[in-house]
Every structure is written in structure tokens, then in C-alpha cells.
């Protein structure tokens, strides 16, 4: 057998796997081949969505399932033995794996990332591959794990038999946490972006902790009922019978699979605690409060719990002066793990100051890059009153007949101290316009308002804008706020992908965190968001991907300038597009202006390994008393307009650049064609003209969408010449008439001539560029002229047809080229 003729897969089967087997690695439990560990980045170009190729390792070796310690990259024997090493090192960095091997079947190159070997990189024969025990001992030495700690770190993950496995970053998070606890660390912080499965990660941590310490008791703390209830019946479901909620209020919850179950309670009606459970789910507000009688947690001895997990710990539980901190202080002997998407670091509060540096972080940017989180577009809407402010005329009265204080009111006042109803109506109008233009008025939408009263007015404005759909179902628009029982009762339906209603919900802060709205496609900000922590949480409401409903990206519509947080260096998940519509421009972004510097706008063509997922061109694919806060001022008849006409985007250095759409487009063209002569040379040298435009579209410059946005009814050729190089454009009909006058069809027979004339008419009417596509002969008017074979034969066969079309396209552009 000639080894050099074997494929990479043959090298794996015949040489690498036998070497691993001989070294003592178990093929069933320790060796995994062709392991895909990312989904592939979701790439959005207008309405077309594709997935990039996911990352895949040839081998991952684990001492036990989901405890990986080595990676092998294989190459065929025509390549050097270490050819896969750099690729393997990149994967190892992502996967937190310390031992990297490369092989071509002759042996191995071994790279030790622990920094504890005398030789970082060495070559081994096939017979010298290290055993599982050898690598595990090196791993424990690197991690500082004692034999007792190693036994804890080796506890099994939960396996429900369904084939579901934790994602690579969840494995990293769980392993890092368990290893930290095995070394005696009693305060642990995990940072994981919203939508990446923090509760599932917490479940696996608890599962492995209980395996290592049987009989130990755990407390899971959160500050939202929905976080507790959904966690109990979904991710924590395997703990049923050993788990109960510290509450006196019984609830029936619907599980992710549609079945229903009652939440088990650990309190009776007299708030007496059943201490027979191992896992307790606690709501901060239910176990403490300002009154001594409310501090239920004191009914537990200080050493009752061995492990406490604090979900969304950024919301003040660790702050020194927090009312909730007293719970953590009471159980200070327990190991405490904080989970957060946004570690809070301010002068007044610090998660890191309490828990220490994160043992593992997985950011929004990483989640989008890996394809586990949805990318997003941003629409920045500028309202004249927000920019210019509002000053009442002297003696002007409000709706109640009271004189309005003479001062300038700005965006900080609107809907908080002063209400301009016309502004509220305008926001509702623009949201409705976007949903209509998107073609999906049933797209789940969250609108964040200043307060509960503002949310009620916004709901009313949206009801009036969508009277037809509200008539069909009154739950089409609902307010979900803390004081609205009817709205809160519908929260479960809003986040349920199978429930159609509610569609649009208005809220103030209730939905800003912790709500798993998998199918939310539009988030609207009509209040200021001063906190980066809260901004990230709001963005996180849309970042979940839902493959079944093809929710692969979402849109953030900003009326209050909150998206200025993108310019903050600590923000790590930039949008794929930022669009600011002008006063007479549509609310929907042009199709499409990707962010320069994004990998989808490079000069390289679209990766052939991308998978198109969505292709629009392919159908297959209350009263306020005098003792309360100052009442709001309501002013009618002021009016509001959309202003600004610009495109904003992040350049290669991450700076926010603002310019007109025409200037932006001109620069985009000139990056590809430095002069008119160069463009003409490219044009003349391209056999298939459509391919040139497809290349531009793939790089983020869809010509048809730009022509529509600039209101220029031009052929793509003329659009480039005119915008980029100020050349005089000709319409398609003018070009077609010029070809007819030159009578360029004389050398063809009658039938061929009729076909070419019809192709020319089709170009003039529809701007068809791929005239050499035989599929065009299968539609009218060609179907009445004969079969495809007959029409092609009129040119002497396919090569003759293609040459004739090429000559026709040359004639169409002869005057310019």
C-alpha cells in the first residue's frame, strides 16, 4: 500500500486510531473523531441569511466524556507530519485543551501548552503516543489538582440518553468551575452572554457537585419568578423529587415539550420549611425583605447549604449595601457561584470584588462568531423633538388647563415629566411600518418604554395602528409590566415559540433581563438606557437563535440614542448594520450595507462552504395624588417628524463613521475599482457579466437595493459608472435601441435572430444580466418559439448560443466600453 496515495480519512483509520488504541485510549468513551464544536457564523446580507462553515477537529481525546485534554489534527501523507499543528493550536485555544498533536500517519508532533515540559514541541513515533493516565497526570500538575481534587474534577456529567451534549463553552465553564471548587475556591464567577445557556450550565455544575459530594444541599437564587419556575421544569427537571421552591404559592408550569407540571413547594401556608429536600429554588424577594418577619432565610442554619448558585448576580446581590447581600453573608460558609452575562464594575458595586475574577468568560462577540447567538441590525431613528427639544409658548396650557413651565424640555423629559402624544404615535407608526415592510406582522416584538404609564400609552397607540390584527385577536398588542396581572399572565405565551399571541408587548423594565424570548425578532428602545449592563441585557433579549422558525437574526430599533453604547470599548458584539433613515426614507434598512471590517465585506468571494439558510429569491429555501411624584405634563398638537439622512457604520478601527448613502456607495465601489479604466477592463475581461455583480453583492454591495434606495433606475453597469466615476448613465432602453440601430443581428439565421431580439427586449424591460443562462429559454416568450434544444441548435449548439449572447452583451455596452 502506497501511504502517500491515501486520503486523510484513510490515514486516520489505518494509522492514527490504531496508535491511540495501542496507547490505551478507549474508542467508545475517550476517542471522538470529526468533532464539530461551533455552529458556523450566521452571515446576514439583506434578507439573505447563510451560515459559515463550523469548526471541526479531527480528534478530541477525553479522559472522561466532556473532560477533553488533547486534540489531534490529521493530514494526508503528502503533507509534513506537523502540517496540522497551527490549526490544532487554534482549536485548542478555543476549547481550553492543553495538549495538541499533528499527524500525517508517520508519527506525531506534540505541542504542550501547559508550559511545564522541558521541550514545548517534540516529534513522537506512532508507538510513543502518550497514554490517558500520562496526559491526565500532566493535566493535574498543570491545574494544581491534588489526587482528591482530581477525583472531584473527574465526576460524570448528566446524560439523559437523548444525545444532548453541552456545547464546548458550557463544558469549559463547568470544568473550570468544578476544578476551582476542587482546589478549595469558595467564591466563583462565571461570565456567559445572554442566550448561551447559563441555567443548563448551572444544572451540570450542580449534577457533578452532587456526584462528588452526595447528600450536600444546594440553594439556587434568582430575582424573577419566571427564572425559577422555568428552570425547575426544564433544565433542572432531572432533580424532580429532590428539589422544591421556597414559596407558598403553587403554580402549574408548561414545560419546553408542551407537557405541564406543578412546581413542588418547600413552604406550607404558614411559611414552615420542609427541610427534607436537597435542592432549594429561592426568589430573593420571597426569602428576605425589610421586615424581620420576611427574612425567611434565617430559618436555615448558617451551614445548612453547601453550595449556592446566584443567577444574574449583576443585579445587586453582591453589592455591600444590597438588601440581598445579607443572604450570601448568612450562608458565608457555603461555596457561592455567581452567574452573569455582564459583570458589574462600578464605584459602588462590584461582582468581581466579591467573587473574584471570572474562572471562565464567553462573550456576545464569541457567541455570534461561533454561530450560537444571532447577529443583529440596528435602526437609529432621530425624532426632531428629541434633537431640537421643546419649549412651550408663553402662557401655553397643558391638557388639564395648567400653564406649562417655561423651559426647554429634551429627550430626558419626554414621557417622564412631559408627554407629547404625537411623539408616541409616531414611534408606534414607525414600528408598525417596519413590521409591514418586513413582510411579517406576526414577528414577536418588545418595546421598552420609560415607565409603566408610557407602556400603556404605547400599547394604545400600537392598537390604533394595527386595528385589523387587534380585531382578529385582542392579544396582538399587550402591556406586560409589574402592575399588570393580565399582561404578566401572558408572559409565558409571549416567550413560547408555539404560541402566536401576544405579538407586540410594551414594557418598562420587566422584560429587560432573564426572559428567554427565543423568537423575538424586533426590540424597540423608546427610553434611555444609561447602564452598559442593562443595555447588554436588553440586546440579549434578541440574541437567541431559533432554527425551527428560522429566527437567525434580529433588529434593534433605537429612538433614544441608546445604541451609542456601541462606541464604548467594553461593548463586544457590534451589529452587522447600522441604518439611520431620513425623513422621507423607509424605516427598513437598505438591502444591504454591511459593516466594513466584517468578514463578509472582504475582497474575497463568499466561501463556497457557506450554507444559505434563507434566500428571498428562492421560495424553497392611574391618578397621582399630591403627595406622590410630580404629575406628567401632557401636551397635544405639537407634532413630531423623523429627521436625519445618513448611513452610520463601524470602520476597520471600530470608529463610528457617518456619511451620505451616495458617498458611502461611491467609496465602496472605488475600493473595488480604483478607476473607470480598471472597471472597464474588468468588465470586458469577464465572460459572465452577472458574476461580477454577484461578487459585489457577496461583498456587501447589492446593486439593485442601492439603486432603489437612491431612486436611480439604472442598469448595474451604469450605476457603477455614474456613482463611482460620474460618467453619464444610459437607461437600458437607450442601450437596447442603440443595439437595434446598429443592426448587429444580420449574421444570424431567422430563428436565432428572433431569439436575440427577444433577449434584448428582456434586458431592456427587466434588466436581465445572465442572458447566457439556458433557463431563460424556458419562459415566455421563448417557449412559443420552440424547445430549448431547438432554439440552441439555431445557433449551431450550446457554444454558438453562448458566443452569440456574449457578443450581444458586448454590443449593449459598446458605447461606454
Amino acid at each position: 500500500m502506497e501511504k502517500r496515495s491515501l486520503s486523510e480519512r484513510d490515514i486516520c483509520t489505518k494509522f492514527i486510531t490504531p496508535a491511540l488504541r495501542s496507547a490505551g485510549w478507549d474508542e467508545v468513551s475517550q476517542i471522538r473523531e470529526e468533532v464539530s464544536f461551533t455552529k458556523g457564523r450566521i452571515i446576514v446580507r439583506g434578507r439573505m441569511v447563510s451560515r459559515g462553515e463550523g469548526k471541526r477537529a479531527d480528534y478530541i481525546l477525553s479522559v472522561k466524556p466532556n473532560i477533553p485534554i488533547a486534540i489531534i489534527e490529521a493530514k494526508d501523507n503528502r503533507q509534513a507530519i506537523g502540517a496540522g499543528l497551527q490549526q490544532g493550536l487554534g482549536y485548542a485555544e478555543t476549547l481550553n485543551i492543553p495538549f495538541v498533536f499533528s499527524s500525517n500517519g508517520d508519527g506525531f508532533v506534540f505541542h504542550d501548552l501547559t508550559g511545564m515540559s522541558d521541550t514545548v514541541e517534540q516529534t513522537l513515533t506512532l508507538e510513543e503516543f502518550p497514554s490517558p493516565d500520562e496526559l491526565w497526570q500532566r493535566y493535574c500538575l498543570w491545574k494544581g489538582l491534588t489526587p482528591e481534587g482530581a477525583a472531584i474534577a473527574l465526576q460524570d456529567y448528566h446524560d439523559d440518553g437523548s444525545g444532548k451534549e453541552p456545547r464546548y463553552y458550557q463544558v469549559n465553564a463547568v470544568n473550570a468551575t468544578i476544578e476551582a471548587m476542587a482546589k478549595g475556591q469558595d467564591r466563583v464567577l462565571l461570565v456567559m452572554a445572554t442566550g448561551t445557556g447559563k441555567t443548563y450550565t448551572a444544572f451540570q455544575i450542580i449534577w457533578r457537585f452532587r456526584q462528588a459530594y452526595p447528600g450536600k444541599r444546594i440553594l439556587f437564587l434568582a430575582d424573577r419568578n419566571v427564572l425559577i419556575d422555568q428552570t425547575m421544569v426544564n433544565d433542572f427537571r432531572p432533580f424532580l423529587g429532590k428539589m422544591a421552591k421556597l414559596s407558598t404559592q403553587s403554580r402549574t408550569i408548561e414545560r419546553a415539550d408542551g407537557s405541564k407540571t406543578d412546581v413542588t413547594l418547600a413552604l406550607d401556608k404558614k411559611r414552615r420549611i420542609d427541610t427534607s429536600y436537597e435542592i432549594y429554588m429561592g426568589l430573593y424577594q420571597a426569602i428576605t425583605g425589610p421586615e424581620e418577619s420576611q427574612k425567611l432565610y434565617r430559618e436555615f442554619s448558617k451551614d445548612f447549604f453547601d453550595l449556592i448558585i446566584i443567577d444574574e448576580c449583576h443585579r445587586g446581590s453582591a453589592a455591600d449595601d444590597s438588601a440581598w447581600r445579607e443572604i450570601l453573608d448568612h450562608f458565608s460558609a457555603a461555596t457561592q457561584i455567581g452567574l452573569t452575562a455582564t459583570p458589574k464594575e462600578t464605584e459602588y458595586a462590584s461582582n468581581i470584588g466579591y467573587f473574584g475574577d471570572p474562572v471562565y468568560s464567553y462573550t456576545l462577540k464569541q457567541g455570534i462568531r461561533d454561530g450560537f447567538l444571532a447577529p443583529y441590525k440596528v435602526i437609529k431613528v432621530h425624532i426632531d423633538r428629541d434633537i431640537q427639544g421643546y419649549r412651550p409658548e408663553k402662557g401655553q396650557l397643558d391638557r388639564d388647563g395648567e400653564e406649562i413651565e417655561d423651559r426647554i424640555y429634551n429627550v430626558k423629559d419626554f414621557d417622564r415629566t412631559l408627554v407629547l402624544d404625537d411623539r408616541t404615535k409616531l414611534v408606534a407608526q414607525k414600528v408598525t411600518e417596519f413590521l409591514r415592510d418586513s413582510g411579517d406582522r406576526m414577528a414577536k416584538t418588545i418595546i421598552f418604554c420609560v415607565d409603566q404609564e408610557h407602556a400603556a400609552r404605547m400599547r394604545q397607540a400600537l392598537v390604533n395602528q394595527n386595528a385589523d390584527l387587534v380585531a382578529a385577536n385582542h392579544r396582538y398588542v399587550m402591556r406586560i409590566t409589574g402592575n399588570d396581572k393580565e399582561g404578566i399572565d401572558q408572559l409565558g405565551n409571549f416567550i413560547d415559540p408555539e404560541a402566536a399571541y401576544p405579538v407586540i408587548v410594551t414594557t418598562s423594565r420587566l422584560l429587560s433581563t432573564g426572559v428567554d424570548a427565543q423568537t423575538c425578532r424586533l426590540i424597540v428602545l423608546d427610553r434611555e438606557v444609561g447602564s452598559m449592563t442593562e443595555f447588554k441585557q436588553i440586546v440579549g433579549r434578541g440574541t437567541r437563535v431559533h432554527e425551527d422558525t428560522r429566527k437567525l437574526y434580529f433588529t434593534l430599533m433605537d429612538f433614544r440614542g441608546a445604541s451609542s453604547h456601541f462606541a464604548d470599548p467594553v461593548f463586544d458584539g457590534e451589529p452587522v448594520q447600522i441604518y439611520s433613515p431620513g425623513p422621507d426614507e423607509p424605516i427598513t434598512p437598505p438591502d444591504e450595507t454591511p459593516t466594513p471590517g466584517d468578514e463578509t465585506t472582504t475582497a474575497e468571494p463568499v466561501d463556497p462552504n457557506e450554507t444559505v439558510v434563507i434566500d428571498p429569491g428562492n421560495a424553497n429555501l392611574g391618578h397621582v395624588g399630591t403627595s406622590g411624584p410630580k404629575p406628567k405634563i401632557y401636551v397635544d398638537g405639537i407634532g413630531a417628524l423623523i429627521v436625519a439622512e445618513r448611513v452610520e457604520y463601524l470602520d476597520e478601527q471600530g470608529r463610528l463613521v457617518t456619511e451620505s448613502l451616495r458617498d458611502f456607495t461611491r467609496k465602496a465601489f472605488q475600493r473595488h475599482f480604483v478607476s473607470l479604466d480598471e472597471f472597464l477592463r474588468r468588465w470586458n475581461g469577464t465572460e459572465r457579466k452577472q458574476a461580477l455583480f454577484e461578487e459585489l453583492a457577496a461583498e456587501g454591495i447589492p446593486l439593485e437595493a442601492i439603486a432603489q434606495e437612491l431612486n436611480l433606475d439604472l442598469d448595474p453597469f451604469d450605476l457603477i459608472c455614474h456613482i463611482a466615476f460620474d460618467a453619464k448613465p444610459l437607461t437600458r432602453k437607450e442601450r437596447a435601441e442603440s443595439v437595434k440601430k446598429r443592426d448587429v443581428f444580420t449574421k444570424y439565421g431567422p430563428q436565432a435572430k428572433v431569439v436575440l431580439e427577444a433577449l434584448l427586449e428582456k434586458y431592456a424591460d427587466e434588466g436581465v444580466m445572465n442572458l447566457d443562462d439556458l433557463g431563460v429559454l424556458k419562459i415566455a416568450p421563448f417557449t412559443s418559439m420552440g424547445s430549448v434544444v431547438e432554439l440552441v441548435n439555431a445557433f449551431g449548439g450550446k457554444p454558438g448560443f453562448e458566443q452569440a449572447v456574449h457578443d450581444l452583451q458586448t454590443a449593449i455596452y459598446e458605447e461606454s466600453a
Side-chain angles (χ1 to χ4, degrees):
M1 183 185 302
E2 176 54 53
K3 186 185 288 189
R4 292 179 65 83
S5 68
L6 297 179
S7 68
E8 179 182 303
R9 183 88 320 251
D10 281 335
I11 293 294
C12 293
T13 302
K14 299 180 186 299
F15 297 97
I16 299 178
T17 300
L20 298 178
R21 192 186 305 123
S22 296
W25 294 87
D26 183 80
E27 287 187 71
V28 174
S29 63
Q30 295 181 317
I31 303 173
R32 294 187 63 195
E33 297 185 57
E34 296 187 319
V35 185
S36 295
F37 57 90
T38 71
K39 293 277 287 184
R41 180 177 181 177
I42 298 171
I43 304 166
V44 183
R45 300 177 181 90
R47 297 183 187 224
M48 185 171 110
V49 184
S50 61
R51 270 197 184 273
E53 190 174 19
K55 294 181 179 179
R56 185 174 66 181
D58 291 329
Y59 287 84
I60 291 181
L61 307 182
S62 301
V63 65
K64 293 187 74 173
N66 289 311
I67 307 178
I69 59 173
I71 189 167
I72 306 173
E73 275 305 303
K75 299 297 177 185
D76 62 59
N77 198 250
R78 293 183 297 274
Q79 301 187 56
I81 188 172
L85 198 60
Q86 290 193 117
Q87 183 179 357
L89 288 169
Y91 290 170
E93 182 180 12
T94 298
L95 296 170
N96 279 3
I97 291 177
F99 308 123
V100 184
F101 298 84
S102 173
S103 179
N104 67 351
D106 290 338
F108 299 92
V109 174
F110 172 31
H111 188 108
D112 186 347
L113 286 165
T114 67
M116 304 186 73
S117 295
D118 294 334
T119 305
V120 174
E121 208 163 278
Q122 58 183 306
T123 301
L124 308 174
T125 67
L126 291 173
E127 294 75 22
E128 291 176 322
F129 195 88
S131 69
D133 285 342
E134 182 181 344
L135 288 187
W136 178 242
Q137 293 304 319
R138 288 186 184 220
Y139 184 93
C140 291
L141 185 63
W142 172 50
K143 288 289 188 176
L145 292 172
T146 64
E148 294 77 13
I152 296 169
L154 281 174
Q155 294 303 317
D156 290 329
Y157 278 72
H158 176 264
D159 184 353
D160 62 5
S162 68
K164 178 181 179 180
E165 292 183 335
R167 294 169 174 171
Y168 84 84
Y169 61 85
Q170 294 169 336
V171 167
N172 288 347
V174 174
N175 290 345
T177 303
I178 296 296
E179 289 167 5
M181 290 193 291
K183 291 188 291 186
Q185 188 172 329
D186 61 1
R187 299 293 182 268
V188 179
L189 181 63
L190 276 179
V191 177
M192 297 172 66
T194 300
T196 57
K198 288 193 295 295
T199 53
Y200 177 68
T201 301
F203 161 74
Q204 289 288 5
I205 291 171
I206 294 173
W207 181 271
R208 294 184 64 199
F209 177 82
R210 293 179 69 248
Q211 300 294 108
Y213 303 103
K216 298 295 186 180
R217 288 180 291 231
I218 296 104
L219 173 63
F220 182 91
L221 284 171
D223 69 344
R224 300 278 167 86
N225 254 317
V226 66
L227 296 178
I228 295 289
D229 297 340
Q230 293 296 333
T231 296
M232 291 182 72
V233 301
N234 291 321
D235 286 330
F236 281 31
R237 186 175 176 179
F239 294 141
L240 290 178
K242 300 179 176 65
M243 168 182 63
K245 181 180 179 180
L246 291 169
S247 174
T248 60
Q249 299 179 356
S250 61
R251 295 193 66 185
T252 299
I253 306 297
E254 185 172 345
R255 296 174 175 150
D257 61 7
S259 61
K260 294 183 178 180
T261 188
D262 293 330
V263 171
T264 304
L265 304 180
L267 299 180
D268 62 17
K269 294 298 181 181
K270 296 182 179 180
R271 288 171 63 85
R272 291 176 298 198
I273 304 170
D274 184 342
T275 59
S276 65
Y277 294 99
E278 295 180 29
I279 301 169
Y280 292 80
M281 312 295 284
L283 194 69
Y284 285 113
Q285 300 92 323
I287 64 175
T288 192
E291 303 297 328
E292 193 65 29
S293 60
Q294 297 173 310
K295 300 185 186 299
L296 179 70
Y297 71 89
R298 292 185 178 175
E299 299 298 317
F300 293 99
S301 63
K302 291 178 177 288
D303 59 355
F304 185 85
F305 293 110
D306 304 283
L307 174 66
I308 300 177
I309 295 185
I310 305 97
D311 193 26
E312 307 290 1
C313 67
H314 59 272
R315 291 208 290 270
S317 56
D320 290 337
D321 58 351
S322 167
W324 298 343
R325 171 69 175 269
E326 61 186 4
I327 301 174
L328 303 186
D329 289 342
H330 182 76
F331 301 114
S332 60
T335 298
Q336 299 177 4
I337 302 173
L339 304 177
T340 183
T342 49
K344 192 172 186 178
E345 282 301 303
T346 70
E347 180 182 353
Y348 309 104
S350 169
N351 298 79
I352 292 175
Y354 182 80
F355 290 104
D357 291 330
V359 296
Y360 184 73
S361 296
Y362 188 73
T363 65
L364 172 62
K365 185 175 184 178
Q366 290 172 297
I368 293 175
R369 179 198 63 196
D370 289 340
F372 294 119
L373 296 182
Y376 59 104
K377 302 180 179 183
V378 174
I379 302 173
K380 301 175 70 172
V381 188
H382 306 271
I383 297 178
D384 58 349
R385 293 296 173 186
D386 295 353
I387 296 172
Q388 301 163 7
Y390 162 70
R391 182 177 182 181
E393 297 178 1
K394 186 175 182 179
Q396 185 171 353
L397 306 180
D398 64 14
R399 185 185 295 173
D400 297 325
E402 300 291 331
E403 184 173 343
I404 304 171
E405 180 185 353
D406 182 15
R407 67 177 179 87
I408 296 176
Y409 296 87
N410 56 36
V411 68
K412 294 182 181 295
D413 298 299
F414 297 149
D415 298 301
R416 191 175 303 280
T417 59
L418 181 134
V419 174
L420 301 178
D421 259 352
D422 287 341
R423 187 194 177 284
T424 307
K425 293 174 183 176
L426 178 62
V427 172
Q429 175 193 326
K430 288 301 175 182
V431 171
T432 303
E433 180 186 326
F434 175 86
L435 292 173
R436 285 197 176 114
D437 290 351
S438 74
D440 184 8
R441 294 179 68 192
M442 299 300 290
K444 294 290 181 83
T445 301
I446 304 176
I447 304 177
F448 290 97
C449 302
V450 168
D451 55 21
Q452 296 180 357
E453 185 273 342
H454 182 205
R457 285 187 292 103
M458 186 63 71
R459 175 202 160 274
Q460 184 179 67
L462 286 159
V463 164
N464 292 332
Q465 286 288 331
N466 298 274
D468 55 337
L469 294 181
V470 173
N473 191 309
H474 74 278
R475 292 182 298 146
Y476 178 75
V477 186
M478 294 198 74
R479 181 182 72 157
I480 299 181
T481 55
N483 67 345
D484 192 326
K485 183 182 183 303
E486 289 76 15
I488 291 177
D489 288 345
Q490 290 298 317
L491 178 57
N493 286 326
F494 179 72
I495 65 179
D496 183 355
E498 301 297 325
Y501 299 95
V503 176
I504 304 174
V505 300
T506 65
T507 189
S508 54
R509 281 175 169 77
L510 185 63
L511 302 185
S512 63
T513 58
V515 177
D516 188 6
Q518 301 176 54
T519 56
C520 179
R521 297 174 188 267
L522 176 63
I523 295 173
V524 181
L525 288 173
D526 196 29
R527 69 171 172 86
E528 291 186 299
V529 183
S531 160
M532 172 64 78
T533 296
E534 184 178 20
F535 182 71
K536 283 189 174 183
Q537 288 289 330
I538 288 174
V539 170
R541 296 313 101 209
T543 54
R544 287 171 173 84
V545 172
H546 196 258
E547 304 274 3
D548 291 348
T549 58
R550 302 207 297 179
K551 186 270 174 118
L552 300 170
Y553 72 95
F554 70 102
T555 302
L556 179 71
M557 188 180 296
D558 179 16
F559 287 88
R560 301 272 181 154
S563 52
S564 61
H565 284 299
F566 294 142
D568 193 310
V570 304
F571 191 81
D572 65 354
E574 295 80 6
V576 297
Q577 181 181 9
I578 301 179
Y579 166 63
S580 295
D584 301 316
E585 295 179 329
I587 196 68
T588 50
D591 215 1
E592 154 89 348
T593 308
T595 303
D598 185 278
E599 65 187 46
T600 64
T601 62
T602 64
E604 297 298 318
V606 175
D607 192 316
N609 291 319
E610 278 184 31
T611 302
V612 176
V613 184
I614 299 175
D615 185 355
N618 185 353
N620 296 324
L621 256 160
H623 175 72
V624 180
T626 55
S627 61
K630 186 176 180 179
K632 296 182 183 180
I633 304 166
Y634 293 81
V635 187
D636 299 328
I638 298 303
L641 298 169
I642 302 297
V643 298
E645 184 175 341
R646 60 187 179 177
V647 172
E648 292 183 306
Y649 60 90
L650 298 171
D651 67 8
E652 291 83 349
Q653 285 74 46
R655 297 171 303 205
L656 198 63
V657 177
T658 304
E659 60 190 358
S660 73
L661 180 59
R662 182 181 289 270
D663 287 343
F664 174 82
T665 306
R666 177 185 291 111
K667 290 179 181 178
F669 285 148
Q670 290 178 350
R671 283 198 302 271
H672 295 275
F673 315 109
V674 296
S675 67
L676 178 58
D677 288 341
E678 181 189 335
F679 169 64
L680 296 178
R681 279 196 301 273
R682 287 280 305 277
W683 177 261
N684 291 326
T686 303
E687 286 287 327
R688 183 171 171 265
K689 312 302 183 187
Q690 182 67 17
L692 187 60
F693 304 134
E694 290 172 353
E695 177 186 331
L696 290 171
E699 295 167 10
I701 313 173
L703 301 178
E704 183 179 349
I706 290 172
Q708 291 175 354
E709 187 68 21
L710 296 176
N711 196 26
L712 295 172
D713 185 20
L714 295 177
D715 176 289
F717 174 92
D718 286 284
L719 182 70
I720 295 173
C721 293
H722 178 57
I723 293 181
F725 309 112
D726 296 320
K728 179 183 177 182
L730 295 175
T731 66
R732 294 191 300 270
K733 290 190 179 296
E734 288 174 333
R735 291 194 176 278
E737 287 301 320
S738 175
V739 173
K740 291 176 183 178
K741 289 176 183 177
R742 284 179 271 139
D743 198 13
V744 300
F745 305 140
T746 54
K747 65 179 180 180
Y748 299 101
Q751 190 174 25
K753 185 176 181 179
V754 171
V755 171
L756 290 173
E757 288 173 344
L759 284 171
L760 185 61
E761 286 298 325
K762 204 154 193 66
Y763 161 78
D765 293 341
E766 302 176 22
V768 177
M769 294 302 300
N770 53 335
L771 300 176
D772 57 347
D773 184 352
L774 292 178
V776 77
L777 302 180
K778 298 179 182 180
I779 60 177
F782 304 101
T783 50
S784 63
M785 300 178 185
S787 69
V788 174
V789 174
E790 290 173 337
L791 298 182
V792 171
N793 285 340
F795 295 88
K798 185 178 179 182
F801 171 73
E802 292 176 341
Q803 183 61 49
V805 172
H806 177 71
D807 293 343
L808 173 59
Q809 289 181 318
T810 299
I812 289 173
Y813 300 102
E814 189 173 311
E815 288 189 14
S816 296

